[in-house]
Short mmCIF file of all heavy atoms in Angstrom, two decimals:
data_model
loop_
_atom_site.label_atom_id
_atom_site.label_comp_id
_atom_site.label_asym_id
_atom_site.label_seq_id
_atom_site.Cartn_x
_atom_site.Cartn_y
_atom_site.Cartn_z
N LEU A 291 10.33 -4.66 1.55
CA LEU A 291 11.20 -3.49 1.43
C LEU A 291 10.42 -2.35 0.76
O LEU A 291 9.73 -2.57 -0.24
CB LEU A 291 12.43 -3.83 0.59
CG LEU A 291 13.37 -4.89 1.16
CD1 LEU A 291 14.43 -5.25 0.14
CD2 LEU A 291 14.00 -4.42 2.46
N SER A 292 10.55 -1.14 1.32
CA SER A 292 9.81 -0.02 0.77
C SER A 292 10.18 0.22 -0.70
O SER A 292 9.31 0.58 -1.50
CB SER A 292 10.07 1.25 1.59
OG SER A 292 11.45 1.61 1.56
N GLU A 293 11.44 -0.01 -1.05
CA GLU A 293 11.86 0.21 -2.44
C GLU A 293 11.14 -0.74 -3.39
O GLU A 293 10.77 -0.37 -4.50
CB GLU A 293 13.37 0.01 -2.57
CG GLU A 293 14.22 0.97 -1.77
CD GLU A 293 14.47 0.50 -0.35
OE1 GLU A 293 13.82 -0.47 0.11
OE2 GLU A 293 15.35 1.09 0.31
N LEU A 350 20.42 -6.66 -2.09
CA LEU A 350 20.99 -5.99 -0.92
C LEU A 350 22.43 -6.41 -0.71
O LEU A 350 22.81 -7.55 -1.02
CB LEU A 350 20.19 -6.34 0.34
CG LEU A 350 18.77 -5.80 0.48
CD1 LEU A 350 18.09 -6.41 1.70
CD2 LEU A 350 18.77 -4.28 0.58
N GLU A 353 25.80 -6.72 4.20
CA GLU A 353 25.69 -5.93 5.41
C GLU A 353 24.27 -5.40 5.60
O GLU A 353 23.71 -5.42 6.70
CB GLU A 353 26.68 -4.76 5.39
CG GLU A 353 28.14 -5.17 5.39
CD GLU A 353 28.63 -5.67 4.05
OE1 GLU A 353 27.95 -5.40 3.02
OE2 GLU A 353 29.69 -6.34 4.01
N ALA A 354 23.66 -4.93 4.50
CA ALA A 354 22.29 -4.41 4.57
C ALA A 354 21.31 -5.53 4.89
O ALA A 354 20.36 -5.34 5.66
CB ALA A 354 21.93 -3.72 3.26
N TYR A 355 21.54 -6.69 4.29
CA TYR A 355 20.64 -7.82 4.57
C TYR A 355 20.73 -8.21 6.04
O TYR A 355 19.71 -8.45 6.70
CB TYR A 355 20.99 -9.02 3.69
CG TYR A 355 20.11 -10.21 3.96
CD1 TYR A 355 18.89 -10.37 3.31
CD2 TYR A 355 20.47 -11.17 4.91
CE1 TYR A 355 18.05 -11.44 3.59
CE2 TYR A 355 19.65 -12.24 5.20
CZ TYR A 355 18.45 -12.37 4.53
OH TYR A 355 17.62 -13.43 4.84
N LEU A 356 21.95 -8.29 6.56
CA LEU A 356 22.14 -8.65 7.97
C LEU A 356 21.41 -7.66 8.88
O LEU A 356 20.75 -8.07 9.84
CB LEU A 356 23.64 -8.67 8.29
CG LEU A 356 24.02 -8.89 9.77
CD1 LEU A 356 23.53 -10.25 10.25
CD2 LEU A 356 25.53 -8.78 9.93
N GLU A 357 21.51 -6.38 8.55
CA GLU A 357 20.86 -5.36 9.38
C GLU A 357 19.34 -5.53 9.38
O GLU A 357 18.70 -5.41 10.43
CB GLU A 357 21.23 -3.97 8.86
CG GLU A 357 20.60 -2.84 9.65
CD GLU A 357 20.97 -1.47 9.09
OE1 GLU A 357 21.80 -1.39 8.17
OE2 GLU A 357 20.39 -0.47 9.57
N LYS A 358 18.77 -5.82 8.21
CA LYS A 358 17.32 -5.96 8.13
C LYS A 358 16.83 -7.29 8.67
O LYS A 358 15.72 -7.40 9.20
CB LYS A 358 16.86 -5.78 6.68
CG LYS A 358 17.04 -4.35 6.17
CD LYS A 358 16.49 -4.17 4.79
CE LYS A 358 16.64 -2.73 4.33
NZ LYS A 358 15.84 -1.79 5.14
N ALA A 359 17.66 -8.33 8.55
CA ALA A 359 17.24 -9.65 9.00
C ALA A 359 17.36 -9.84 10.51
O ALA A 359 16.60 -10.61 11.10
CB ALA A 359 18.06 -10.71 8.28
N THR A 360 18.32 -9.17 11.12
CA THR A 360 18.60 -9.39 12.55
C THR A 360 17.38 -9.25 13.45
O THR A 360 17.16 -10.12 14.31
CB THR A 360 19.73 -8.45 13.01
OG1 THR A 360 20.95 -8.84 12.34
CG2 THR A 360 19.94 -8.55 14.51
N PRO A 361 16.55 -8.21 13.31
CA PRO A 361 15.37 -8.12 14.19
C PRO A 361 14.43 -9.31 14.04
O PRO A 361 13.83 -9.76 15.02
CB PRO A 361 14.70 -6.82 13.76
CG PRO A 361 15.77 -6.02 13.11
CD PRO A 361 16.66 -7.02 12.44
N TRP A 362 14.31 -9.84 12.83
CA TRP A 362 13.42 -10.97 12.60
C TRP A 362 14.03 -12.26 13.17
O TRP A 362 13.32 -13.06 13.79
CB TRP A 362 13.15 -11.12 11.10
CG TRP A 362 12.37 -9.99 10.53
CD1 TRP A 362 12.85 -8.89 9.89
CD2 TRP A 362 10.95 -9.82 10.58
NE1 TRP A 362 11.85 -8.05 9.53
CE2 TRP A 362 10.66 -8.60 9.93
CE3 TRP A 362 9.91 -10.58 11.09
CZ2 TRP A 362 9.35 -8.13 9.80
CZ3 TRP A 362 8.60 -10.12 10.95
CH2 TRP A 362 8.34 -8.90 10.32
N LEU A 363 15.33 -12.45 12.97
CA LEU A 363 15.99 -13.64 13.50
C LEU A 363 15.97 -13.63 15.02
O LEU A 363 15.84 -14.67 15.67
CB LEU A 363 17.43 -13.71 12.98
CG LEU A 363 17.60 -13.87 11.47
CD1 LEU A 363 19.08 -13.81 11.10
CD2 LEU A 363 16.99 -15.18 10.99
N PHE A 388 10.83 -10.79 4.78
CA PHE A 388 11.57 -10.97 6.03
C PHE A 388 10.74 -11.63 7.12
O PHE A 388 11.29 -12.30 8.00
CB PHE A 388 12.13 -9.63 6.51
CG PHE A 388 13.35 -9.21 5.76
CD1 PHE A 388 13.27 -8.26 4.75
CD2 PHE A 388 14.59 -9.78 6.03
CE1 PHE A 388 14.41 -7.88 4.04
CE2 PHE A 388 15.73 -9.41 5.32
CZ PHE A 388 15.63 -8.46 4.32
N LEU A 391 11.37 -15.32 7.93
CA LEU A 391 12.62 -15.80 8.53
C LEU A 391 12.43 -16.58 9.84
O LEU A 391 13.07 -17.62 10.02
CB LEU A 391 13.59 -14.63 8.74
CG LEU A 391 14.13 -13.97 7.47
CD1 LEU A 391 15.17 -12.91 7.84
CD2 LEU A 391 14.72 -14.99 6.52
#
Side-chain angles (χ1 to χ4, degrees):
L291 297 173
S292 62
E293 298 87 348
L350 291 173
E353 295 76 17
Y355 179 87
L356 174 62
E357 180 181 353
K358 291 184 178 295
T360 293
W362 293 96
L363 297 175
F388 282 101
L391 293 185

